[in-house]
PDB file of all heavy atoms in Angstrom:
ATOM      1  N   GLU F1632       9.060   6.228 -14.065  1.00  0.00           N
ATOM      2  CA  GLU F1632       9.349   6.087 -15.489  1.00  0.00           C
ATOM      3  C   GLU F1632       9.286   7.434 -16.194  1.00  0.00           C
ATOM      4  O   GLU F1632      10.101   7.732 -17.073  1.00  0.00           O
ATOM      5  CB  GLU F1632       8.366   5.101 -16.122  1.00  0.00           C
ATOM      6  CG  GLU F1632       8.587   3.663 -15.665  1.00  0.00           C
ATOM      7  CD  GLU F1632       7.485   2.717 -16.102  1.00  0.00           C
ATOM      8  OE1 GLU F1632       6.459   3.204 -16.638  1.00  0.00           O
ATOM      9  OE2 GLU F1632       7.643   1.510 -15.906  1.00  0.00           O
ATOM     10  N   ILE F1633       8.327   8.251 -15.798  1.00  0.00           N
ATOM     11  CA  ILE F1633       8.223   9.604 -16.363  1.00  0.00           C
ATOM     12  C   ILE F1633       9.451  10.419 -15.981  1.00  0.00           C
ATOM     13  O   ILE F1633      10.028  11.143 -16.810  1.00  0.00           O
ATOM     14  CB  ILE F1633       6.943  10.312 -15.860  1.00  0.00           C
ATOM     15  CG1 ILE F1633       5.685   9.598 -16.370  1.00  0.00           C
ATOM     16  CG2 ILE F1633       6.950  11.782 -16.274  1.00  0.00           C
ATOM     17  CD1 ILE F1633       5.453   9.711 -17.853  1.00  0.00           C
ATOM     18  N   ARG F1634       9.857  10.304 -14.726  1.00  0.00           N
ATOM     19  CA  ARG F1634      11.043  11.058 -14.261  1.00  0.00           C
ATOM     20  C   ARG F1634      12.280  10.679 -15.078  1.00  0.00           C
ATOM     21  O   ARG F1634      13.115  11.539 -15.396  1.00  0.00           O
ATOM     22  CB  ARG F1634      11.282  10.795 -12.779  1.00  0.00           C
ATOM     23  CG  ARG F1634      10.258  11.441 -11.858  1.00  0.00           C
ATOM     24  CD  ARG F1634      10.636  11.261 -10.399  1.00  0.00           C
ATOM     25  NE  ARG F1634       9.632  11.847  -9.523  1.00  0.00           N
ATOM     26  CZ  ARG F1634       8.791  11.142  -8.761  1.00  0.00           C
ATOM     27  NH1 ARG F1634       8.846   9.810  -8.789  1.00  0.00           N
ATOM     28  NH2 ARG F1634       7.904  11.743  -8.000  1.00  0.00           N
ATOM     29  N   GLU F1635      12.415   9.398 -15.407  1.00  0.00           N
ATOM     30  CA  GLU F1635      13.557   8.961 -16.209  1.00  0.00           C
ATOM     31  C   GLU F1635      13.507   9.585 -17.599  1.00  0.00           C
ATOM     32  O   GLU F1635      14.550   9.958 -18.149  1.00  0.00           O
ATOM     33  CB  GLU F1635      13.574   7.432 -16.299  1.00  0.00           C
ATOM     34  CG  GLU F1635      14.034   6.741 -15.026  1.00  0.00           C
ATOM     35  CD  GLU F1635      15.417   7.194 -14.582  1.00  0.00           C
ATOM     36  OE1 GLU F1635      16.339   7.178 -15.432  1.00  0.00           O
ATOM     37  OE2 GLU F1635      15.568   7.568 -13.406  1.00  0.00           O
ATOM     38  N   LYS F1636      12.318   9.680 -18.167  1.00  0.00           N
ATOM     39  CA  LYS F1636      12.166  10.295 -19.487  1.00  0.00           C
ATOM     40  C   LYS F1636      12.562  11.777 -19.428  1.00  0.00           C
ATOM     41  O   LYS F1636      13.287  12.279 -20.287  1.00  0.00           O
ATOM     42  CB  LYS F1636      10.719  10.177 -19.977  1.00  0.00           C
ATOM     43  CG  LYS F1636      10.182   8.759 -20.110  1.00  0.00           C
ATOM     44  CD  LYS F1636      10.785   8.033 -21.272  1.00  0.00           C
ATOM     45  CE  LYS F1636      10.140   6.668 -21.447  1.00  0.00           C
ATOM     46  NZ  LYS F1636      10.769   5.899 -22.542  1.00  0.00           N
ATOM     47  N   ILE F1637      12.061  12.456 -18.405  1.00  0.00           N
ATOM     48  CA  ILE F1637      12.352  13.886 -18.254  1.00  0.00           C
ATOM     49  C   ILE F1637      13.834  14.096 -17.965  1.00  0.00           C
ATOM     50  O   ILE F1637      14.476  15.021 -18.473  1.00  0.00           O
ATOM     51  CB  ILE F1637      11.488  14.496 -17.130  1.00  0.00           C
ATOM     52  CG1 ILE F1637       9.990  14.332 -17.438  1.00  0.00           C
ATOM     53  CG2 ILE F1637      11.837  15.969 -16.917  1.00  0.00           C
ATOM     54  CD1 ILE F1637       9.518  15.056 -18.654  1.00  0.00           C
ATOM     55  N   LYS F1638      14.378  13.216 -17.131  1.00  0.00           N
ATOM     56  CA  LYS F1638      15.800  13.307 -16.773  1.00  0.00           C
ATOM     57  C   LYS F1638      16.672  13.217 -18.019  1.00  0.00           C
ATOM     58  O   LYS F1638      17.648  13.951 -18.177  1.00  0.00           O
ATOM     59  CB  LYS F1638      16.151  12.192 -15.796  1.00  0.00           C
ATOM     60  CG  LYS F1638      17.593  12.205 -15.317  1.00  0.00           C
ATOM     61  CD  LYS F1638      17.814  11.071 -14.326  1.00  0.00           C
ATOM     62  CE  LYS F1638      19.254  11.064 -13.831  1.00  0.00           C
ATOM     63  NZ  LYS F1638      19.498   9.957 -12.863  1.00  0.00           N
ATOM     64  N   LEU F1639      16.291  12.312 -18.919  1.00  0.00           N
ATOM     65  CA  LEU F1639      17.052  12.135 -20.152  1.00  0.00           C
ATOM     66  C   LEU F1639      16.996  13.385 -21.026  1.00  0.00           C
ATOM     67  O   LEU F1639      17.967  13.737 -21.701  1.00  0.00           O
ATOM     68  CB  LEU F1639      16.486  10.931 -20.917  1.00  0.00           C
ATOM     69  CG  LEU F1639      17.375  10.305 -22.006  1.00  0.00           C
ATOM     70  CD1 LEU F1639      18.706   9.847 -21.415  1.00  0.00           C
ATOM     71  CD2 LEU F1639      16.656   9.131 -22.649  1.00  0.00           C
ATOM     72  N   LEU F1640      15.865  14.075 -20.994  1.00  0.00           N
ATOM     73  CA  LEU F1640      15.727  15.309 -21.783  1.00  0.00           C
ATOM     74  C   LEU F1640      16.720  16.365 -21.334  1.00  0.00           C
ATOM     75  O   LEU F1640      17.345  17.049 -22.156  1.00  0.00           O
ATOM     76  CB  LEU F1640      14.311  15.877 -21.651  1.00  0.00           C
ATOM     77  CG  LEU F1640      13.141  15.128 -22.294  1.00  0.00           C
ATOM     78  CD1 LEU F1640      11.847  15.856 -21.978  1.00  0.00           C
ATOM     79  CD2 LEU F1640      13.336  15.007 -23.792  1.00  0.00           C
ATOM     80  N   PHE F1641      16.848  16.526 -20.023  1.00  0.00           N
ATOM     81  CA  PHE F1641      17.649  17.626 -19.485  1.00  0.00           C
ATOM     82  C   PHE F1641      19.101  17.260 -19.204  1.00  0.00           C
ATOM     83  O   PHE F1641      19.895  18.118 -18.860  1.00  0.00           O
ATOM     84  CB  PHE F1641      16.986  18.159 -18.206  1.00  0.00           C
ATOM     85  CG  PHE F1641      15.719  18.924 -18.462  1.00  0.00           C
ATOM     86  CD1 PHE F1641      14.503  18.279 -18.490  1.00  0.00           C
ATOM     87  CD2 PHE F1641      15.753  20.287 -18.719  1.00  0.00           C
ATOM     88  CE1 PHE F1641      13.330  18.963 -18.738  1.00  0.00           C
ATOM     89  CE2 PHE F1641      14.579  20.994 -18.980  1.00  0.00           C
ATOM     90  CZ  PHE F1641      13.367  20.324 -18.993  1.00  0.00           C
ATOM     91  N   ALA F1642      19.428  15.993 -19.355  1.00  0.00           N
ATOM     92  CA  ALA F1642      20.813  15.578 -19.135  1.00  0.00           C
ATOM     93  C   ALA F1642      21.668  15.955 -20.340  1.00  0.00           C
ATOM     94  O   ALA F1642      21.169  16.016 -21.469  1.00  0.00           O
ATOM     95  CB  ALA F1642      20.872  14.070 -18.903  1.00  0.00           C
ATOM     96  N   PRO F1643      22.960  16.222 -20.147  1.00  0.00           N
ATOM     97  CA  PRO F1643      23.860  16.458 -21.285  1.00  0.00           C
ATOM     98  C   PRO F1643      23.790  15.265 -22.242  1.00  0.00           C
ATOM     99  O   PRO F1643      23.804  14.119 -21.811  1.00  0.00           O
ATOM    100  CB  PRO F1643      25.230  16.577 -20.625  1.00  0.00           C
ATOM    101  CG  PRO F1643      24.925  17.040 -19.231  1.00  0.00           C
ATOM    102  CD  PRO F1643      23.654  16.353 -18.856  1.00  0.00           C
ATOM    103  N   LYS F1644      23.712  15.515 -23.525  1.00  0.00           N
ATOM    104  CA  LYS F1644      23.436  14.452 -24.492  1.00  0.00           C
ATOM    105  C   LYS F1644      24.690  13.644 -24.848  1.00  0.00           C
ATOM    106  O   LYS F1644      25.764  14.213 -25.090  1.00  0.00           O
ATOM    107  CB  LYS F1644      22.814  15.043 -25.762  1.00  0.00           C
ATOM    108  CG  LYS F1644      21.518  15.813 -25.527  1.00  0.00           C
ATOM    109  CD  LYS F1644      20.476  14.969 -24.807  1.00  0.00           C
ATOM    110  CE  LYS F1644      19.153  15.689 -24.623  1.00  0.00           C
ATOM    111  NZ  LYS F1644      19.228  16.797 -23.668  1.00  0.00           N
ATOM    112  N   ASN F1645      24.484  12.356 -24.894  1.00  0.00           N
ATOM    113  CA  ASN F1645      25.543  11.437 -25.306  1.00  0.00           C
ATOM    114  C   ASN F1645      25.445  11.242 -26.813  1.00  0.00           C
ATOM    115  O   ASN F1645      24.654  10.435 -27.299  1.00  0.00           O
ATOM    116  CB  ASN F1645      25.391  10.095 -24.584  1.00  0.00           C
ATOM    117  CG  ASN F1645      26.325   9.032 -25.118  1.00  0.00           C
ATOM    118  OD1 ASN F1645      27.356   9.350 -25.729  1.00  0.00           O
ATOM    119  ND2 ASN F1645      25.983   7.770 -24.903  1.00  0.00           N
ATOM    120  N   ILE F1646      26.250  11.978 -27.560  1.00  0.00           N
ATOM    121  CA  ILE F1646      26.152  11.920 -29.023  1.00  0.00           C
ATOM    122  C   ILE F1646      26.933  10.743 -29.607  1.00  0.00           C
ATOM    123  O   ILE F1646      26.880  10.502 -30.808  1.00  0.00           O
ATOM    124  CB  ILE F1646      26.627  13.238 -29.674  1.00  0.00           C
ATOM    125  CG1 ILE F1646      28.099  13.496 -29.350  1.00  0.00           C
ATOM    126  CG2 ILE F1646      25.736  14.398 -29.226  1.00  0.00           C
ATOM    127  CD1 ILE F1646      28.673  14.701 -30.094  1.00  0.00           C
ATOM    128  N   ALA F1647      27.611   9.987 -28.744  1.00  0.00           N
ATOM    129  CA  ALA F1647      28.373   8.838 -29.227  1.00  0.00           C
ATOM    130  C   ALA F1647      27.524   7.571 -29.292  1.00  0.00           C
ATOM    131  O   ALA F1647      27.995   6.536 -29.769  1.00  0.00           O
ATOM    132  CB  ALA F1647      29.587   8.601 -28.324  1.00  0.00           C
ATOM    133  N   GLN F1648      26.285   7.640 -28.813  1.00  0.00           N
ATOM    134  CA  GLN F1648      25.440   6.446 -28.831  1.00  0.00           C
ATOM    135  C   GLN F1648      25.135   6.011 -30.269  1.00  0.00           C
ATOM    136  O   GLN F1648      25.111   6.828 -31.191  1.00  0.00           O
ATOM    137  CB  GLN F1648      24.146   6.683 -28.067  1.00  0.00           C
ATOM    138  CG  GLN F1648      23.262   7.783 -28.608  1.00  0.00           C
ATOM    139  CD  GLN F1648      22.037   8.011 -27.749  1.00  0.00           C
ATOM    140  OE1 GLN F1648      21.146   7.178 -27.703  1.00  0.00           O
ATOM    141  NE2 GLN F1648      22.006   9.160 -27.062  1.00  0.00           N
ATOM    142  N   THR F1649      24.926   4.714 -30.438  1.00  0.00           N
ATOM    143  CA  THR F1649      24.682   4.167 -31.766  1.00  0.00           C
ATOM    144  C   THR F1649      23.352   3.429 -31.815  1.00  0.00           C
ATOM    145  O   THR F1649      22.791   3.070 -30.781  1.00  0.00           O
ATOM    146  CB  THR F1649      25.803   3.180 -32.164  1.00  0.00           C
ATOM    147  OG1 THR F1649      25.809   2.091 -31.227  1.00  0.00           O
ATOM    148  CG2 THR F1649      27.152   3.855 -32.193  1.00  0.00           C
TER     149      THR F1649
END
Side-chain angles (χ1 to χ4, degrees):
E1632 291 171 352
I1633 295 291
R1634 289 186 182 109
E1635 285 303 309
K1636 301 288 185 183
I1637 300 296
K1638 182 179 180 180
L1639 198 58
L1640 290 178
F1641 288 90
K1644 302 305 183 291
N1645 171 22
I1646 62 173
Q1648 61 183 290
T1649 62

